[in-house]
Amino acid sequence: MKGSSMADLDDIKEGKDFGLDKPADLQGFYLKGAAHYDWGMKNRLSRIFNPKTGRTVMLAFDHGYFQGPATGLERMDLNILPLCDYADVLMCTRGALRSTVPPTNTKPVALRCSGGNSILTELSNETVAVEIEDAIRLGVCAMAAQVYIGSEYEHKSITNVLKLIDTGTRYGIPTLAVTGVGKDMARDARYFGLATRIAAELGAQYVKTYFVEEGFEKVAAGCPVPLVIAGGKKLPELEALEMAYKAIDQGAAGVDMGRNIFQSEAPIAMIQAVTKVVHENFTAKEAYQLFLDLKQAG
């Protein structure tokens, strides 16, 4: 990481007392950190996170903005639209929303608002690709951009998210900060804890990060706003369900899954199984059995 010595990196301390046995004080609203927002912001968050469970299942199909017709997204009208009714939130670009999703859709939309590079170049070197007026015109419930901590373009990515936070707050639209870490940084709780905390302290209303096997409960506890986990690369269905279960059990407020749903052998069965884990506390084994039953029936 340019401009930092190893001593600086070593100075990123691990927290000690995360109060894991003490729930966060919600101060009169059901979502962590959201008690003092305006009505419009709370209303949009209440559409994203189910008020009965405080959790969400987001269906991510924004991959095409940097990698083109990715596997499973060649025809979004065929591959994604059948899944929309089963998701709580749709995570997509404005191009996909306008061209593919019917305006009769009533699912809340988390709009991908960063862009500017393809998979062939440095993805952290993005810009804000959507003006606030277009987000308002589309009626979205959240705006999303990447925060790359420890990357060459860290400052630029943080500036992008700050722009969304400032303009979104002005109009009552939440910002989802999607965290990443630099290539030289370990994908562990220490650095994802750093990235998620920075995003929350900058003012993001919720944060998307990756699940880590060791210490994720500390990442979740140390972030003062809701966390959702990224699905990441395609896993066998049982493993994806196990990841979702562990994340929810350790403090995540939901999942934002794409490839682990639309690349599944039975996508509709898979999104229903994930929903049972997130909203009804199914174990991974229970959800996987449901997946198998629905797959066989369907």
Side-chain angles (χ1 to χ4, degrees):
M1 183 172 64
K2 293 183 179 180
S4 296
S5 68
M6 287 307 296
D8 295 327
L9 294 178
D10 289 341
D11 197 46
I12 300 174
K13 305 295 185 184
E14 289 191 48
K16 295 181 179 180
D17 185 6
F18 286 89
L20 298 179
D21 59 336
K22 300 175 183 177
D25 182 359
L26 301 181
Q27 302 182 46
F29 191 66
Y30 75 101
L31 284 180
K32 183 167 66 169
H36 306 298
Y37 297 153
D38 292 335
W39 190 94
M41 185 77 76
K42 286 182 177 179
N43 177 264
R44 288 180 175 88
L45 287 168
S46 296
R47 295 177 62 195
I48 294 168
F49 294 94
N50 188 317
K52 294 181 180 179
T53 65
R55 298 173 183 169
T56 188
V57 175
M58 298 176 61
L59 175 63
F61 54 103
D62 57 333
H63 308 66
Y65 92 93
F66 67 92
Q67 65 183 90
T71 303
L73 293 178
E74 295 88 347
R75 286 284 302 276
M76 290 183 288
D77 57 331
L78 301 179
N79 300 333
I80 295 300
L81 291 189
L83 300 171
C84 289
D85 285 345
Y86 301 95
D88 295 316
V89 181
L90 308 182
M91 172 79 167
C92 63
T93 64
R94 62 179 171 181
L97 188 62
R98 284 192 167 108
S99 65
T100 305
V101 180
T104 50
N105 166 72
T106 58
K107 297 290 183 177
V109 172
L111 187 68
R112 166 64 69 175
C113 291
S114 58
N117 289 76
S118 75
I119 198 172
L120 303 176
T121 56
E122 177 53 62
L123 285 175
S124 65
N125 187 19
E126 292 189 322
T127 188
V128 174
V130 179
E131 292 294 336
I132 185 66
E133 289 83 1
D134 212 24
I136 294 170
R137 188 178 295 113
L138 288 166
V140 305
C141 278
M143 300 182 295
Q146 300 278 159
V147 175
Y148 287 97
I149 301 302
S151 73
E152 180 181 356
Y153 298 99
E154 175 184 286
H155 178 75
K156 185 176 181 181
S157 71
I158 289 176
T159 300
N160 291 339
V161 170
L162 284 171
K163 179 179 179 181
L164 294 185
I165 292 168
D166 286 340
T167 57
T169 300
R170 189 177 304 147
Y171 297 102
I173 301 176
T175 293
L176 168 60
V178 182
T179 62
V181 298
K183 296 177 181 178
D184 297 329
M185 300 175 73
R187 268 62 174 170
D188 60 18
R190 184 186 188 196
Y191 290 111
F192 283 123
L194 172 67
T196 55
R197 183 59 173 264
I198 287 173
E201 298 244 5
L202 291 173
Q205 282 76 27
Y206 71 117
V207 179
K208 174 179 170 181
T209 193
Y210 287 93
F211 177 74
V212 291
E213 288 288 346
E214 297 294 330
F216 181 79
E217 70 278 5
K218 295 180 180 178
V219 176
C223 184
V225 298
L227 286 183
V228 296
I229 66 157
K233 66 180 181 180
K234 176 66 174 70
L235 300 171
E237 280 77 6
L238 179 57
E239 290 184 27
L241 292 168
E242 287 173 343
M243 178 178 66
Y245 175 80
K246 290 177 183 177
I248 295 296
D249 184 58
Q250 294 178 37
V255 301
D256 186 17
M257 282 193 172
R259 287 169 287 181
N260 278 301
I261 290 175
F262 62 71
Q263 288 183 358
S264 170
E265 295 179 2
I268 291 178
M270 185 59 179
I271 195 171
Q272 291 181 83
V274 171
T275 296
K276 291 291 186 181
V277 171
V278 172
H279 289 302
E280 298 185 31
N281 298 315
F282 271 38
T283 66
K285 288 184 178 179
E286 290 171 337
Y288 184 62
Q289 186 59 55
L290 174 67
F291 166 76
L292 294 176
D293 293 344
L294 292 172
K295 177 184 175 183
Q296 184 176 11

